[in-house]
Amino acid sequence: MTDPHLPAPERQPLLDQAVIALRAPTQTWSRRSGDMGEAPIDGVYHGDIRHIRGLELTCDGSAIEWISLDDADASRVVFGGLLRGLDSPLPDPRVRLVRERVVADGSLTETVRIVSAVDAAVETTLRLAVTPEFAALHDVKAGLAAGASVTADVVGDTAAVSDGERSFDLRAPGAVLSWRDGIVQVEWDVRVPAGGTGEHTVSIEMTDPGLVVTGARSSAPWDRADVARRGTAIEPRLGHWLSRALDDLDALRLALPEHADDEFYAAGAPWFFTLFGRDSLWAARLSLPLDVRIAASTLRVLARLQGDATDPDTAQQPGKILHELRAAALEIPSEGVVLPPVYYGSVDATALWVCLLVDAWRAGMPEPEVRDLLPALDGALTWLREDGDADGDGFLDYIDETGRGLANQGWKDSGDSIQWRDGTLASGPIALCEVQAYAYEAARGAAELLEALGAEDAHTASDLRAWAADLRTRFAEAYWVETPEGRYPAIALDRDKRPVDTLTSNIGHLIGTGILDPLDEARIASLLLAPSMSSGYGIRTMSTDAGGYWPLAYHGGSVWLHDTAIAAHGLARAGLREEATEVVAGMLSAADGFGFRVPELHAGDPASQTRVPVPYPAACRPQAWSAAAAIVALQVLES
């Protein structure tokens, strides 16, 4: 029993009740009033730093009674309130306050309007208290955030605030500014004429010389309204979801400063506002029907960072594709994890890079751009056939060699994600089932590409096809298990080459890759759509019959809609149209339940027990591959 006199353990902030506005790499998190500071996640972030912890608006002579919230735009939120303390005695409220927030790359603008319908002038003072912090994002996530030593220089209506390295400039025309007790106080004396409006603005420009990413400079390559109309013509909910998802994908676009024209999707807000190999590749791949350009640029960005040496500390190997890029080391104290700023601990990103290159080539990526990436393709294929198999058993596997890296290096990268049916953890090296499928698809696709371009050199089409065929045969011999739930591929092989027998969503990633026979694909589809795996709001990550199942387990029973979308994508490619359509129906129900901004994951509770999907309260949102799932839904339902 917990001692009530001891301090509460530090926890990861909950996100599901927060209001977000974003334009990568900048984001704001607040309450439904627009104020910040009450909840651990609140603040104004730029890159991996929370520049501002608190933002509180008050009005002399009246409480602000908040009654409305419009957050339909990813980068703009409008909060509406009443100022009844300044109102006339009439029963209908006639003095309103409107707070509009707009986020851009490196900036925040807040506009406050008092709109009056009373027949006399309204006079008051508006105050905005701004609390700087400059805390590291990973400290916020760990519940350990502590502000730096902040200084401020106030001159007129401008304040320059810094911690030495990072800074922001606050400008509030017409206001009186002061710096007291670590807070920038902004005060406006307001006089609103009878039946008139008074408007005041504060703008904040942030600077961080250590930032390793920059916002996208181009406009989104799709016509959002047109795509939404296509969805609405099929199913109104799909139109709403597409509109929201494309807006979020637009706001999640990033680039690296040295190649600002090559954009990619940040993985998600708030913790993953950077380049993630796996996430950025899957988001680009799922959105490929609408955008070949960002697929091509994502490939180029990752090719420039492709491994060229062997370094256990960073998990780098020649030809290997990056896992994540940050400005500083990422520390997760509760798990004993310390990841270097440039980290390669991903077993699947390299095969997924090859798969995306092949798919983009088939979708019309210009041939010269494809040819420019052939050296990177050669390196990736070499890694798949050599270093990707650490123990020489013929399967791609992983194990953290440092004790400080990620224990699991597939998409289910939490420490307890690879379990036996009784709930015990599997021991590594781990060879995930879906990674073998990605590698099979990559080798066969690369063979087709190299043959078509006449570019066979270090890797010939016949050698790649022979390697893939051998992998397919060995997979069929090693991975299949039979349990009371049926016959299906194991989630992985453990260090003793035993198939880990839990029924999981990983098998959905096998469908459509070619590593399975069509009859086996149909059998797996029926398992994924059975009650133990299908929640009605998407496919669970783990079967309800597994010993480790829990609907709020991060990878052990929750639903990730991108994971479900990958299964739908594969079902469609395998010609299992009815099954793909059924999966998409669950995706639409989930999207509707979350107001069409689908979070990173949600609980695995069944639709038969809950009218709307249950949030996983610490889930990121928006998440790029969750947003891209809407495009898969369109693709399936239009086919």
Side-chain angles (χ1 to χ4, degrees):
M1 185 172 180
T2 302
D3 185 339
H5 301 291
L6 293 175
E10 304 297 346
R11 302 281 189 183
Q12 181 173 328
L14 302 185
L15 307 174
D16 62 303
Q17 298 299 313
V19 177
I20 180 175
L22 72 150
R23 177 64 54 176
T26 306
Q27 54 185 321
T28 66
W29 292 80
S30 74
R31 303 300 91 202
R32 293 181 64 84
S33 63
D35 283 350
M36 304 172 187
E38 178 183 328
I41 187 57
D42 288 356
V44 181
Y45 300 77
H46 185 49
D48 282 345
I49 300 296
R50 179 162 66 185
H51 286 237
I52 294 171
R53 173 71 178 91
L55 198 68
E56 183 180 7
L57 179 67
T58 57
C59 177
D60 280 5
S62 180
I64 306 173
E65 299 174 89
W66 299 100
I67 62 170
S68 67
L69 169 68
D70 179 3
D71 63 347
D73 190 297
S75 304
R76 174 180 173 270
V77 184
V78 179
F79 310 88
L82 302 178
L83 299 175
R84 292 196 291 174
L86 306 179
D87 213 334
S88 72
L90 296 174
D92 292 336
R94 301 176 71 83
V95 181
R96 306 176 67 179
L97 185 144
V98 178
R99 181 181 195 173
E100 180 180 11
R101 173 172 297 153
V102 177
V103 175
D105 176 7
S107 72
L108 164 67
T109 302
E110 294 248 339
T111 302
V112 182
R113 301 180 188 90
I114 296 179
V115 183
S116 173
V118 299
D119 55 8
V122 172
E123 295 185 0
T124 187
T125 298
L126 288 174
R127 292 184 170 87
L128 186 68
V130 182
T131 307
E133 184 182 54
F134 300 105
L137 182 69
H138 59 75
D139 286 341
V140 176
K141 185 178 183 182
L144 302 171
S149 178
V150 179
T151 62
D153 184 18
V154 176
V155 178
D157 57 11
T158 300
V161 185
S162 70
D163 73 343
E165 294 183 4
R166 303 171 183 91
S167 64
F168 67 82
D169 291 333
L170 182 152
R171 295 178 177 84
V176 175
L177 270 58
S178 61
W179 172 248
R180 296 193 301 271
D181 301 323
I183 298 174
V184 178
Q185 298 282 355
V186 182
E187 296 186 4
W188 292 280
D189 288 329
V190 179
R191 187 179 189 279
V192 181
T197 300
E199 178 175 297
H200 297 278
T201 298
V202 59
S203 61
I204 297 169
E205 300 283 341
M206 289 161 279
T207 301
D208 182 354
L211 202 62
V212 296
V213 293
T214 188
R217 301 193 305 190
S218 69
S219 58
W222 51 71
D223 184 328
R224 175 183 165 195
D226 180 63
V227 177
R229 280 192 292 270
R230 285 166 55 189
T232 300
I234 300 169
E235 222 278 24
R237 294 178 301 171
L238 179 57
H240 291 307
W241 187 15
L242 284 163
S243 180
R244 190 64 192 250
L246 293 180
D247 190 35
D248 283 336
L249 285 171
D250 181 16
L252 285 166
R253 291 179 303 133
L254 283 172
L256 302 185
E258 59 271 25
H259 296 281
D261 292 331
D262 277 342
E263 297 166 1
F264 56 87
Y265 292 120
W271 315 124
F272 310 118
F273 247 33
T274 188
L275 174 65
F276 270 71
R278 175 192 309 116
D279 299 56
S280 299
L281 286 163
W282 262 125
R285 193 178 189 194
L286 297 178
S287 61
L288 194 56
L290 296 185
D291 186 8
V292 176
R293 187 187 71 181
I294 202 165
S297 58
T298 300
L299 289 163
R300 287 192 291 270
V301 169
L302 289 167
R304 294 187 190 107
L305 295 165
Q306 188 173 27
D308 59 7
T310 299
D311 180 6
D313 285 341
T314 63
Q316 181 181 184
Q317 293 171 321
K320 195 175 184 183
I321 295 299
L322 178 89
H323 175 57
E324 66 179 281
L325 175 70
R326 292 190 182 271
L330 174 66
E331 298 183 30
I332 310 175
S334 62
E335 300 177 26
V337 170
V338 181
L339 304 184
V342 183
Y343 182 58
Y344 290 82
S346 166
V347 72
D348 51 4
T350 307
L352 289 171
W353 186 94
V354 177
C355 290
L356 180 60
L357 176 62
V358 173
D359 283 356
W361 166 64
R362 290 171 177 158
M365 180 178 170
E367 185 175 313
E369 296 183 23
V370 177
R371 288 188 178 276
D372 286 345
L373 291 172
L374 291 179
L377 173 62
D378 176 70
L381 292 171
T382 299
W383 183 86
L384 289 178
R385 298 173 68 179
E386 296 178 8
D387 287 337
D389 176 12
D391 58 7
D393 68 343
F395 295 114
L396 279 78
D397 52 29
Y398 63 84
I399 190 166
D400 172 48
E401 298 181 25
T402 67
R404 302 182 305 276
L406 294 174
N408 285 311
Q409 297 181 5
W411 88 259
K412 293 178 179 176
D413 57 4
S414 57
D416 62 351
S417 62
I418 312 302
Q419 300 182 16
W420 295 87
R421 270 179 58 82
D422 64 5
T424 58
L425 300 186
S427 299
I430 295 291
L432 293 167
C433 67
E434 75 271 20
V435 175
Q436 318 315 314
Y438 301 158
Y440 175 83
E441 182 181 2
R444 288 188 57 82
E448 179 188 347
L449 186 155
L450 292 172
E451 203 169 49
L453 297 186
E456 297 173 81
D457 188 7
H459 302 278
T460 66
S462 59
D463 282 349
L464 287 169
R465 291 189 178 108
W467 181 84
D470 180 59
L471 175 61
R472 190 178 192 272
T473 298
R474 287 184 291 100
F475 183 90
E477 294 170 349
Y479 275 80
W480 286 85
V481 298
E482 189 136 12
T483 76
E485 293 189 79
R487 182 176 178 271
Y488 52 84
I491 183 175
L493 303 183
D494 76 350
R495 68 182 176 193
D496 299 316
K497 317 307 174 190
R498 297 177 300 167
V500 182
D501 58 355
T502 310
L503 176 59
T504 66
S505 62
N506 298 56
I507 60 175
H509 294 224
L510 311 180
I511 301 173
T513 64
I515 202 167
L516 301 175
D517 293 331
L519 184 58
D520 286 331
E521 288 181 318
R523 288 170 175 162
I524 287 176
S526 67
L527 284 173
L528 294 175
L529 289 168
S532 69
M533 289 297 293
S534 177
S535 72
Y537 297 120
I539 297 169
R540 295 184 182 93
T541 45
M542 184 182 289
S543 166
T544 57
D545 290 346
Y549 169 77
W550 174 244
L552 284 170
Y554 195 59
H555 290 130
S558 63
V559 173
W560 294 61
L561 225 59
H562 90 280
D563 181 37
T564 300
I566 290 170
H569 180 255
L571 289 165
R573 289 195 298 166
L576 298 168
R577 177 173 169 72
E578 288 187 14
E579 292 86 346
T581 301
E582 185 175 344
V583 171
V584 167
M587 293 164 58
L588 283 169
S589 294
D592 189 5
F594 285 109
F596 303 105
R597 173 175 268 172
V598 177
E600 176 188 20
L601 70 155
H602 57 271
D605 298 292
S608 60
Q609 294 180 12
T610 176
R611 186 178 57 84
V612 292
V614 175
Y616 181 92
C620 295
R621 103 189 116 79
Q623 192 87 348
W625 57 16
S626 297
I631 301 170
V632 174
L634 176 66
Q635 186 179 24
V636 168
L637 296 184
E638 277 191 331
S639 63

